[in-house]
Amino acid sequence: GQSLEQPSEVTAVEGAIVQINCTYQTSGFYGLSWYQQHDGGAPTFLSYNALDGLEETGRFSSFLSRSDSYGYLLLQELQMKDSASYFCAVRDTRGSTLGRLYFGRGTQLTVWP
Amino acid sequence: GAVVSQHPSRVICKSGTSVKIECRSLDFQATTMFWYRQFPKQSLMLMATSNEGSKATYEQGVEKDKFLINHASLTLSTLTVTSAHPEDSSFYICSAGQGTDTQYFGPGTRLTVL
């Protein structure tokens, strides 16, 4: 089976830096993705790590340590519009189907002025 | 990035009726699409993998006779919720993969069963 753990809520002020952690236990592992979802909207892709290390995309960075089954999403220079739910998701290599994503429960980020 | 559309965006139906939701990849061909369901304030739950030209693969606990999936072309997959009941009310989201690394999600369909 698949199990992903991430904090349920995080709050911060504008301009701050926030790190959202994700630990996972899966029967197979092909990569860790991060998605952002605003209320009532669809998830939008933020980043993907297949290998250990840090991936940087503008204000957002994502890190993966496969040996620790751990990753995080780092959001810098927070803006009000960053208030949303953030999901980590694992691609599971079980069977012959690639690309299936299994999501964590999501972290609700609230950014205060 | 790749664009995935869904139709309708919202649907309200009576209990016992069937509802069809369409998922289209607009600017790329998708041999595989995925269907998710999300209840309020909860995570996305993978329901099934839709394979073009073959039967869908359902996740454990998802009734294949209730959630009919058809992937008739490389750009279209449909999900039909048969004999809908109020507990089927949810946000249904499809996604399509481009390459092997990224899935792009449709805007979702909010289903309300009265």
Side-chain angles (χ1 to χ4, degrees), chain A residues 90-107:
Chain A
V90 165
R91 287 192 65 191
D92 191 334
T93 58
R94 183 179 60 192
S96 60
T97 303
L98 294 177
R100 292 185 305 184
L101 285 175
Y102 295 94
F103 283 78
R105 292 185 177 273
T107 299

Side-chain angles (χ1 to χ4, degrees), chain A:
Chain A
Q2 300 81 26
S3 172
L4 293 90
E5 297 291 331
Q6 53 182 125
S8 59
E9 297 182 40
V10 174
T11 59
V13 296
E14 272 189 303
I17 299 173
V18 155
Q19 178 173 312
I20 300 174
N21 298 321
C22 175
T23 57
Y24 58 87
Q25 288 184 319
T26 60
S27 54
F29 180 82
Y30 192 74
L32 184 70
S33 298
W34 288 92
Y35 286 84
Q36 178 192 62
Q37 185 181 34
H38 287 96
D39 275 349
T44 55
F45 172 78
L46 292 177
S47 69
Y48 173 73
N49 295 70
L51 302 175
D52 290 352
L54 190 68
E55 294 282 341
E56 298 181 75
T57 309
R59 295 188 296 116
F60 296 169
S61 303
S62 59
F63 172 82
L64 175 65
S65 170
R66 288 175 296 170
S67 61
D68 296 322
S69 298
Y70 163 76
Y72 66 72
L73 178 69
L74 190 72
L75 299 88
Q76 304 182 71
E77 300 173 21
L78 282 175
Q79 303 175 8
M80 297 287 289
K81 66 178 182 180
D82 297 329
S83 293
S85 290
Y86 292 83
F87 293 90
C88 59
V90 165
R91 287 192 65 191
D92 191 334
T93 58
R94 183 179 60 192
S96 60
T97 303
L98 294 177
R100 292 185 305 184
L101 285 175
Y102 295 94
F103 283 78
R105 292 185 177 273
T107 299
Q108 177 65 48
L109 170 64
T110 303
V111 181
W112 298 100

Side-chain angles (χ1 to χ4, degrees), chain B residues 47-62:
Chain B
M47 298 175 67
T49 303
S50 172
N51 301 296
E52 189 268 337
S54 65
K55 291 184 179 180
T57 305
Y58 290 82
E59 294 297 303
Q60 191 173 8
V62 178

